[in-house]
Amino acid sequence: MTQTVAVLGTGKIGEALLSGMIRAGWRPADLLVTTRRGDRARELHTRYGVESVTNAEAAKNADVLILAVKPQDMGKLLDELAPHVTAGRLVISAAAGITTAFIEDRLTPGTPVVRVMPNTPVLVDEGMSVISAGSHATGAHLATAEEIFGGVGKTLRVPESQQDAATALSGSGPAYFYFLVEAMTDAGILLGLPRAQAHDLIVQAAIGAAVMLRDSGEHPVKLREAVTSPAGTTISAIRELENHGVRAALIAALEAARDRSRELASGNG
């Protein structure tokens, strides 16, 4: 961990990466941040001991640049960085829908670019970050990205052609679970439970089910069947889910998310 890393854009995701890197052993002296506001720079220095610099200074002094700005701000940021980024500098983008080609075309030819799609559970060190190499990125560059994002959860390498599908499943995935928990909590209220109790029951069921999926190695069908007794309550509920086309609706929803990701990547936002 002798490289200097700059996080450009320290909103929630950028700060989560920063704090995760420090917990994983990176020295604050090897980390730089860029912010739009002076009070935010002072806050990050007080909290993490990191130095705040301009985007140009980050491009000149850091070995690795993590672009954690909003997608709509990426073009302007790249215009600022372009005069200062040499071909040996690793650029990691964490902006949804921004392709490596978009970044490569605006920087020095040969600049290695890695595209990463994290999701919001990076805020609690349980994120999933999907990593893809640009045309000049090597295995070593991917390993650096994995080292950084591995501090806030798991990582998975995929070809960039699969990033839109990964965004639909993983990037947007937490929202689907929140939506489901919201609906199930409302159902609990309808069935006579206080909202707080219904919420606690559903959240713990979700946590327990997720841990079993992660740790048991069993197929989800097998785990579901273990809960589904003949002529019991669970199979009655599942029959209603199938009758209402929930499985088909989920598939259609993920296809819509993938298609929207493609539109954003093509600039049709």
Side-chain angles (χ1 to χ4, degrees):
M1 301 181 188
T2 57
Q3 294 179 307
T4 300
V5 177
V7 181
L8 285 70
T10 43
K12 288 185 178 180
I13 298 297
E15 184 176 353
L17 288 173
L18 183 67
S19 62
M21 291 173 69
I22 291 173
R23 288 192 301 276
W26 294 78
R27 299 188 311 150
D30 294 328
L31 301 173
L32 302 172
V33 298
T34 71
T35 65
R36 290 183 174 178
R37 306 189 324 271
D39 59 335
R40 177 63 168 162
R42 291 188 291 272
E43 177 186 346
L44 293 170
H45 178 73
T46 300
R47 190 173 298 170
Y48 303 108
V50 295
E51 181 184 357
S52 178
V53 297
T54 66
N55 291 327
E57 289 171 335
K60 293 175 184 177
N61 298 314
D63 302 298
V64 181
L65 304 175
I66 302 175
L67 313 185
V69 298
K70 296 178 180 179
Q72 58 267 34
D73 296 330
M74 184 63 78
K76 181 180 178 181
L77 175 61
L78 292 172
D79 289 341
E80 282 188 63
L81 299 179
H84 311 290
V85 176
T86 61
R89 196 85 76 235
L90 172 58
V91 176
I92 299 174
S93 170
I98 301 296
T99 64
T100 58
F102 179 90
I103 298 171
E104 290 167 349
D105 288 346
R106 287 159 177 78
L107 298 178
T108 302
T111 299
V113 179
V114 173
R115 177 179 174 183
V116 183
M117 182 67 234
N119 60 11
T120 54
V122 299
L123 299 171
V124 292
D125 293 348
E126 291 291 348
M128 173 55 80
S129 298
V130 183
I131 298 175
S132 301
S135 57
H136 307 295
T138 66
H141 296 130
L142 290 172
T144 297
E146 288 171 334
E147 182 181 11
I148 293 170
F149 284 81
V152 289
K154 293 188 175 183
T155 63
L156 177 68
R157 295 187 191 186
V158 303
E160 189 168 10
S161 61
Q162 294 178 1
Q163 275 281 357
D164 294 317
T167 296
L169 267 71
S170 177
S172 301
Y176 314 146
F177 288 98
Y178 302 145
F179 183 87
L180 182 61
V181 167
E182 179 187 1
M184 293 176 71
T185 301
D186 287 344
I189 295 169
L190 179 64
L191 297 175
L193 291 170
R195 175 173 292 277
Q197 289 185 5
H199 175 81
D200 289 347
L201 288 170
I202 296 304
V203 169
Q204 187 56 39
I207 293 171
V211 171
M212 289 184 71
L213 279 167
R214 184 190 65 191
D215 296 347
S216 70
E218 297 285 0
H219 193 282
V221 170
K222 189 169 183 179
L223 292 173
R224 177 179 59 77
E225 288 177 343
V227 188
T228 310
S229 304
T233 58
T234 306
I235 192 61
S236 296
I238 289 173
R239 180 186 62 183
E240 289 302 312
L241 291 173
E242 295 290 8
N243 286 343
H244 286 80
V246 172
R247 187 187 303 266
L250 282 171
I251 293 172
L254 267 68
E255 287 181 327
R258 178 208 58 196
D259 294 345
R260 181 56 179 155
S261 181
R262 287 176 176 172
E263 290 176 0
L264 291 172
S266 65
N268 297 322

